[in-house]
Amino acid sequence: MSCTKEKDTIAEMNADDYSVEWVKFDYDSIRGLNRNYELVEIFIPKDRNKDTLKNQIRFYSDGQLDNRYSQYYELIVESTEKKHTYLAKIKLNSEYSNLPIRGQYADFFFLNFYKDSTSIGTKNFENADEFEIEFINFHNDRFEGVVTEYFIRDTIISNLNDKVNMRTIETVLTNKENMAGLFIENGSFFNERKISLKDYRTKN
């Protein structure tokens, strides 16, 4: 039996660069009414010189999840019959999920964890909101990745030719409560996602 602790393996090295938490912003005039509020997933850096950043958003209106203003993912990781191989089942939601679009595609970058090294895998999908990604991890079921979604829409302008409108959404994904900074700090999109915890309180 190996004496190596899980936290000392390549799968867990630097995995606590950021802690992953959900915070709540209450829009009700009476705190605790829980009718209109926003849940925001944030990455809190271990290095306090770095910024806290937001990732997913779930907006609730009159007590119901409102997908028109929410951007989030659902992630389930399952083992497979192949040794050290797992399947990540991912469903993405954004404001564009229920809007008419001309086309969409998604680029995934994710980590494979080997015995003493890691590698970045890639997967590309078209016209889908649900995805399955097979990945390797010799140490546990940790999944870490980032997805860039591209949405192509038509914009109609009166008395002018139709225009093509493209929107991009980038989201970091993990099934753990902490993660390394690889996909967070190398994503330039996070420069616009800095967040202050003032006026926010942790989800009960």
Side-chain angles (χ1 to χ4, degrees):
M1 178 180 294
S2 172
C3 294
T4 303
K5 296 180 180 179
E6 183 178 274
K7 68 178 181 179
D8 297 325
T9 66
I10 193 69
E12 298 304 306
M13 288 176 61
N14 303 315
D16 62 347
D17 284 347
Y18 288 82
S19 60
V20 182
E21 297 184 15
W22 287 87
V23 295
K24 179 179 181 182
F25 188 80
D26 195 344
Y27 294 107
D28 291 318
S29 57
I30 301 175
R31 182 176 290 273
L33 190 60
N34 288 329
R35 301 303 298 170
N36 302 286
Y37 59 94
E38 191 175 51
L39 295 179
V40 180
E41 183 190 51
I42 60 172
F43 299 140
I44 303 175
K46 183 178 180 179
D47 182 350
R48 296 303 179 180
N49 293 317
K50 297 180 179 179
D51 295 305
T52 295
L53 305 168
K54 61 182 177 180
N55 191 38
Q56 303 185 71
I57 299 173
R58 294 175 183 257
F59 183 81
Y60 289 80
S61 176
D62 198 25
Q64 300 296 317
L65 178 63
D66 191 336
N67 285 331
R68 295 173 301 172
Y69 305 106
S70 299
Q71 177 196 323
Y72 63 90
Y73 66 85
E74 299 172 23
L75 170 62
I76 298 174
V77 175
E78 299 177 349
S79 58
T80 69
E81 295 181 353
K82 292 184 283 187
K83 193 174 183 180
H84 307 309
T85 303
Y86 297 85
L87 186 67
K89 295 182 177 181
I90 303 162
K91 182 176 181 180
L92 302 176
N93 181 86
S94 74
E95 61 181 298
Y96 303 106
S97 297
N98 298 310
L99 294 177
I101 56 176
R102 177 183 289 187
Q104 69 182 95
Y105 55 99
D107 296 331
F108 282 85
F109 294 85
F110 58 94
L111 282 178
N112 289 301
F113 299 91
Y114 300 98
K115 285 185 177 180
D116 55 2
S117 63
T118 61
S119 70
I120 295 179
T122 61
K123 289 277 287 188
N124 311 104
F125 301 89
E126 292 186 10
N127 299 318
D129 290 317
E130 298 187 35
F131 316 89
E132 291 188 353
I133 294 176
E134 196 172 82
F135 68 99
I136 297 170
N137 194 324
F138 274 67
H139 311 286
N140 56 37
D141 67 346
R142 174 180 291 278
F143 179 81
E144 290 188 8
V146 63
V147 58
T148 304
E149 298 176 87
Y150 304 89
F151 299 90
I152 303 171
R153 305 187 65 212
D154 292 325
T155 300
I156 300 176
I157 302 176
S158 299
N159 301 321
L160 296 174
N161 294 328
D162 294 352
K163 303 293 183 180
V164 173
N165 186 308
M166 176 175 280
R167 290 290 182 266
T168 303
I169 296 176
E170 297 178 85
T171 308
V172 172
L173 306 96
T174 185
N175 60 332
K176 301 297 183 181
E177 293 183 353
N178 54 32
M179 67 182 301
L182 174 64
F183 293 116
I184 299 173
E185 295 174 1
N186 290 331
S188 59
F189 55 93
F190 273 100
N191 289 333
E192 301 174 357
R193 297 194 186 178
K194 299 176 183 178
I195 189 171
S196 171
L197 294 183
K198 184 180 179 181
D199 298 327
Y200 279 79
R201 60 187 177 87
T202 304
K203 174 187 174 185
N204 293 328

